[in-house]
């Protein structure tokens, strides 16, 4: 049996030199997919830079609220668009419940293929806006 | 000579993992860790040494120590579990490489070295806040899912089922009048559906939950069994695909367990046509703290078969 600890395990020493890129994408719209030639690499290979048309802040806030509630996160825990569902502790049942909550809140229907591609909170917000738009059209 | 053989004692601090024979065809091995039993920081440190830099990074990105610990233990469990199965000689858990298949299902990436025959080993993991489990089979794909028995949904169960489950399953759940029993049956159904999709390994969008039905079917199977093995007298569990009713998905076997008194666990594996379908599949379960203790819990109260024809 594992014995009790003398000191607590420091999880932050696990990270290497990883810096999260938190560049916000708001204000950049009308660009869905941009192909940029990369330098010094084999000709014909392009790096694809995908810039999502970012959702409105209100949408993002509502999504954060639903996620926070589903995962029972403390009010002071920070959730941003870049937050990954899995990193917040959501398992598959949580994710499906969140999607259901979003459907009800926004009056939309999310197909399974789309739900599977939702990795971050921003992905969810963007998808919602897209579906809301499609519905209004 | 296989280089791997010289890595038998790769770390003086680690006792070697107890080596095991691979499961036989139609046999499942299930390993689980209870995170609350793993508190020793030196041990956690050792586990983190097993991870690839990429895995360590993923662990560090989890929010909060509990989630980090869970992610760490999950990787440690997968690596140590697979390393146990001796082929020619002991495998170093740290040197295992993993990749995802076309649809995102994790698998071992065996390296092509001379005289090294990769074992036909399949695995799948699942975790909750209180347990991490890894299922292992040979020859055939496996999917597992565990859920805490006490898991509650935020949404109304029938509303949820109507949205995601098949009509038959909604009918079954609606017919249950006791809300607590209904909730339990919902969780069981959820784990079975998850396990099936994970076993298929084609991603959730390839097999939406609504497109297949899990049914409990009573059987009148009679077999002789040695006294020491326990056999479920419960229903068989079948999967029916509504996309193709003429060919029900009876290539897949499911079993439902109660594990450690606290979790429902579902296992789904493809039937091995070569091994034949006559013998009931076997299940062996270990509770483990890798490098510290392995306890075989099959046939004890820690593992109860709730459904599916499976033998411990």
């Amino acid at each position: 049996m594992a014995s009790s600890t003398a000191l607590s395990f420091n999880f932050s020493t696990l990270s290497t030199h990883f810096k999260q890129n938190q560049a916000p994408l708001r204000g950049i719209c009308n660009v869905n997919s941009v192909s940029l030639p990369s330098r010094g690499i084999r000709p014909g290979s392009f790096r694809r830079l995908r810039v999502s048309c970012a959702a409105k802040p209100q949408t993002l806030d509502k999504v954060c609220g639903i996620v926070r509630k589903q995962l029972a996160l403390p009010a002071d825990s920070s959730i941003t668009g870049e937050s990954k569902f899995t990193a917040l502790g959501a398992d598959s049942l949580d994710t499906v419940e969140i999607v259901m909550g979003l459907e009800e809140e926004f009056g939309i229907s999310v197909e399974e293929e789309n739900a599977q591609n939702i990795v971050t909170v921003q992905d969810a917000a963007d998808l919602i806006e897209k579906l809301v738009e499609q519905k209004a059209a | 000579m296989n280089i791997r053989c010289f890595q038998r004692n790769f770390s003086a601090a680690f006792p070697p993992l107890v080596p095991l024979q691979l499961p036989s065809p139609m046999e499942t091995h299930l390993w689980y860790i209870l995170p609350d039993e793993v508190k020793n920081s030196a041990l956690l440190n050792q586990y983190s040494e097993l991870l690839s830099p990429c895995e360590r990074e993923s662990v560090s990105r989890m929010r909060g120590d509990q989630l980090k610990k869970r992610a760490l233990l999950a990787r440690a469990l997968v690596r140590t579990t697979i390393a146990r199965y001796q082929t020619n000689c002991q495998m170093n858990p740290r040197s295992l490489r993993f990749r995802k298949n076309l649809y995102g299902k994790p698998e071992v990436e065996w390296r092509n070295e001379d005289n090294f025959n990769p074992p036909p080993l399949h695995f799948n993991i699942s975790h909750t806040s209180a347990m991490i489990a890894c299922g292992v089979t040979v020859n055939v794909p496996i999917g597992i899912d565990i859920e805490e028995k006490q898991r509650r949904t935020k949404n109304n169960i029938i509303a949820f089922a109507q949205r995601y489950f098949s009509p038959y399953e909604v009918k079954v759940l609606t017919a249950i009048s006791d809300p607590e029993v209904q909730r339990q049956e919902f969780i069981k159904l959820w784990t079975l559906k998850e396990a099936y999709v994970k076993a298929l390994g084609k991603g959730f969008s390839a097999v939406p939950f609504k497109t297949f039905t899990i049914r409990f079917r009573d059987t009148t199977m009679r077999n002789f069994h040695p006294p020491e093995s326990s056999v479920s007298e419960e229903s068989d569990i079948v999967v029916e695909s509504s996309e193709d009713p003429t060919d029900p998905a009876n290539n897949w076997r499911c079993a439902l367990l109660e594990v450690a008194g606290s979790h429902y666990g579902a296992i789904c594996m493809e039937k091995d046509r070569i091994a034949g379908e006559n013998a009931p599949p076997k299940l062996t379960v270990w509770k483990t703290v890798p490098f510290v203790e392995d306890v075989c819990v099959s046939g004890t109260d820690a593992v109860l078969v709730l459904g599916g024809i499976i033998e411990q």
Side-chain angles (χ1 to χ4, degrees):
Chain A
M1 267 304 244
S3 52
S4 56
T5 52
L7 12 107
S8 60
F9 180 65
N10 188 354
F11 285 97
S12 58
T13 59
L14 284 173
S15 62
T16 50
H17 304 290
F18 176 70
K19 237 172 22 176
Q20 261 197 320
N21 183 357
Q22 301 254 336
L25 296 174
R26 290 178 199 186
I28 305 174
C29 267
N30 302 323
V31 181
N32 275 330
S33 178
V34 176
S35 283
L36 300 175
S38 54
R39 295 186 201 158
I41 302 188
R42 297 182 300 279
S45 79
F46 289 91
R47 249 186 326 158
R48 182 171 289 277
L49 176 69
R50 189 169 67 99
V51 179
S52 313
C53 196
K56 294 194 275 291
Q58 305 97 286
T59 306
L60 191 59
D61 285 342
K62 275 193 186 170
V63 174
C64 290
I66 289 170
V67 170
R68 201 186 286 281
K69 192 167 144 215
Q70 175 67 33
L71 303 181
L73 298 174
D76 58 352
S77 71
S78 110
I79 309 182
T80 67
E82 285 78 24
S83 303
K84 281 189 170 187
F85 285 109
T86 48
L88 295 172
D91 64 11
S92 47
L93 183 51
D94 286 315
T95 307
V96 173
E97 289 221 84
I98 287 169
V99 169
M100 196 167 156
L102 296 175
E103 288 182 327
E104 282 172 9
E105 174 71 26
F106 294 95
I108 49 173
S109 178
V110 180
E111 294 311 307
E112 222 114 349
E113 310 87 71
N114 292 326
Q116 187 170 338
N117 294 331
I118 297 176
V119 173
T120 64
V121 173
Q122 188 71 49
D123 292 340
D126 293 347
L127 177 63
I128 287 162
E129 293 246 322
K130 193 173 97 171
L131 292 172
V132 166
E133 236 170 89
Q134 280 175 1
K135 200 177 142 193
Chain B
M1 175 92 126
N2 195 331
I3 289 291
R4 226 172 291 267
C5 288
F6 294 107
Q7 291 173 341
R8 202 177 294 275
N9 292 316
F10 59 90
S11 167
F14 273 137
L17 291 162
V18 177
L20 267 194
Q21 292 301 310
L22 283 167
S24 45
M26 291 319 287
E27 186 181 2
T28 304
H29 285 178
L30 185 68
W31 297 81
Y32 68 89
I33 293 180
L34 300 178
D36 289 345
E37 289 184 356
V38 185
K39 294 191 182 73
N40 186 305
S41 67
L43 187 60
L44 289 169
N45 240 317
Q46 289 177 337
Y47 291 156
S48 77
E49 304 264 315
L50 300 178
L51 272 50
S52 68
C54 202
E55 288 170 339
R56 265 193 285 255
E57 207 167 272
S58 292
V59 169
S60 71
R61 280 191 239 147
M62 301 298 285
R63 292 281 195 90
D65 281 356
Q66 285 313 306
L67 290 180
K68 287 183 165 75
K69 182 180 172 185
R70 195 202 304 188
L72 169 60
L73 290 177
R75 294 318 303 163
L77 177 63
V78 173
R79 285 180 172 273
T80 55
T81 298
I82 291 169
R84 291 171 195 275
Y85 295 101
Q86 256 183 345
T87 44
N88 299 321
C89 54
Q90 188 108 53
M91 200 152 327
N92 183 342
R94 190 197 230 155
S95 64
L96 286 168
R97 286 218 199 109
F98 294 88
R99 65 173 175 219
K100 296 199 172 158
N101 77 0
L102 198 59
Y103 309 97
K105 182 175 183 183
E107 55 190 30
V108 184
E109 184 178 67
W110 302 104
R111 274 163 288 179
N112 265 332
E113 287 172 13
D114 293 337
N115 302 323
F116 178 55
N117 294 313
L121 195 153
H122 295 253
F123 75 93
N124 195 233
I125 62 165
S126 178
H127 46 62
T128 68
S129 56
M131 182 186 289
I132 301 155
C134 180
V136 178
T137 46
V138 290
N139 300 334
V140 292
I142 178 176
I144 71 166
D145 191 59
I146 54 174
E147 272 307 336
E148 293 183 51
K149 279 171 64 177
Q150 296 308 312
R151 178 72 181 259
R152 296 193 175 267
T153 55
K154 294 283 185 296
N155 292 283
N156 169 272
I157 283 172
I158 297 302
F160 187 101
Q162 279 169 340
R163 174 68 185 83
Y164 291 108
F165 285 6
S166 73
Y168 174 82
E169 291 163 342
V170 175
K171 213 166 67 162
V172 167
L173 287 172
T174 310
I176 303 172
S177 51
D178 182 318
E180 178 57 17
V181 175
Q182 191 190 67
R183 188 194 59 77
Q184 286 172 1
E185 294 307 307
F186 167 83
I187 298 292
K188 290 177 188 174
L189 210 44
W190 172 268
T191 59
L192 285 161
K193 290 175 89 74
E194 276 279 293
Y196 173 64
V197 172
K198 290 174 79 181
L200 282 172
K202 293 206 175 88
F204 289 91
S205 60
V207 207
F209 273 22
K210 252 194 211 293
T211 65
F212 65 94
T213 293
I214 302 273
R215 250 181 226 268
F216 285 75
R217 189 180 63 187
D218 288 321
T219 67
T220 52
M221 242 176 66
R222 300 231 180 281
N223 283 314
F224 280 113
H225 302 281
E228 55 273 8
S229 76
S230 66
V231 176
S232 170
E233 302 261 337
E234 303 281 343
S235 328
D236 195 5
I237 301 175
V238 292
V239 186
E240 287 172 1
S241 168
S242 48
E243 306 270 87
D244 189 359
T246 58
D247 175 33
N250 61 6
N251 289 332
W252 300 86
R253 279 193 200 274
C254 295
L256 181 70
L257 315 169
E258 185 201 86
V259 187
S262 57
H263 284 71
Y264 293 128
I267 301 173
C268 187
M269 55 193 273
E270 196 170 14
K271 287 182 187 170
D272 188 334
R273 259 150 286 203
I274 299 166
E277 301 176 15
N278 295 324
K282 293 175 85 111
L283 172 71
T284 314
V285 185
W286 288 268
K287 179 165 86 87
T288 176
V289 179
F291 303 112
V292 175
E293 186 182 61
D294 304 326
V295 182
C296 182
V297 294
S298 317
T300 70
D301 283 348
V303 186
L304 300 178
V305 179
L306 303 178
I309 309 293
I310 198 160
E311 211 177 74
Q312 290 193 69

